[in-house]
Amino acid sequence: MDLKSLIRDVYDFPKEGIVFKDITTVLQDPAGLRFAVDEFEKALKDVDFDLVVGPESRGFIFGVPLAYNMNKGFIPVRKEGKLPYKTKSKEYDLEYGSAVVEIHMDAIKPGDRVVVVDDLLATGGTSKAMVELIEEMGGIVVKMVYLIELSFLKGREVLQGQDVEAIIKY
């Protein structure tokens, strides 16, 4: 299946000059959604890990069915102030501003082997912040998998030393 054909470009979103890769068109297509989740699973078939971590909100969309299919736990990383328990937070820059992500203080235990799953690798800011949070908690990031990589934004360079894989590259 050609997932690229299902992805819609939205120009000037969330601000002028940005081309947003809209994956809702993949999600609404039953075959496209199944194919995407299956591709994530294939990317992890030989990886030894304990938990799937996914950022709000599209990391949830792919991370939960992946964790379910592979019999792993899922850990949400959310925007500041959205998690109900004690959190650890990290501020980071993204291509159109800055933000803060949080994770529950007890979500990652020392030695946990973690896979990060998200829809998009752009500048790498969100992903780097998640890696730092996971490592500060004693976890080990063993792989990072994305539906889309915008390679011209060089996010992979920000994640040097990490095992990074993308299903689709632009």
Side-chain angles (χ1 to χ4, degrees):
M1 168 172 272
D2 178 19
L3 281 178
K4 274 188 176 180
S5 69
L6 294 177
I7 295 169
R8 173 176 37 211
D9 285 343
V10 179
Y11 295 90
D12 298 324
F13 182 83
K15 71 176 201 175
E16 191 173 335
I18 302 289
V19 178
F20 187 85
K21 297 294 186 188
D22 181 10
I23 64 157
T24 59
T25 46
V26 172
L27 302 176
Q28 69 194 26
D29 184 285
L33 176 59
R34 178 172 299 280
F35 185 78
V37 173
D38 289 349
E39 288 298 301
F40 277 110
E41 196 167 338
K42 278 186 210 172
L44 298 171
K45 70 180 174 76
D46 295 323
V47 178
D48 176 27
F49 68 101
D50 305 302
L51 299 166
V52 174
V53 169
E56 184 174 346
S57 66
R58 290 173 299 274
F60 294 7
I61 292 169
F62 294 112
V64 170
L66 182 63
Y68 176 83
N69 285 350
M70 299 186 83
N71 197 33
K72 307 293 181 183
F74 177 79
I75 307 297
V77 172
R78 299 210 59 195
K79 294 174 185 159
E80 188 175 29
K82 299 289 185 179
L83 289 170
Y85 188 63
K86 297 174 193 166
T87 61
K88 188 167 186 57
S89 63
K90 184 68 66 177
E91 185 171 358
Y92 66 98
D93 293 323
L94 27 81
E95 60 272 24
Y96 48 84
S98 66
V100 175
V101 290
E102 295 183 330
I103 190 170
H104 277 146
M105 291 289 291
D106 60 355
I108 307 286
K109 312 260 183 310
D112 280 346
R113 297 175 60 78
V114 177
V115 166
V116 173
V117 173
D118 202 1
D119 70 319
L120 180 71
L121 175 58
T123 63
T126 307
S127 295
K128 183 178 180 197
M130 286 188 296
V131 168
E132 290 172 357
L133 283 172
I134 292 163
E135 290 177 346
E136 287 171 11
M137 299 171 83
I140 304 157
V141 177
V142 295
K143 189 150 186 160
M144 305 180 83
V145 187
Y146 303 88
L147 181 66
I148 299 168
E149 178 182 0
L150 302 178
S151 54
F152 58 91
L153 291 176
K154 302 185 187 317
R156 201 176 278 255
E157 291 177 13
V158 172
L159 301 172
Q160 280 186 339
Q162 296 297 327
D163 183 359
V164 176
E165 187 171 337
I167 296 167
I168 300 167
K169 293 180 184 172
Y170 290 95

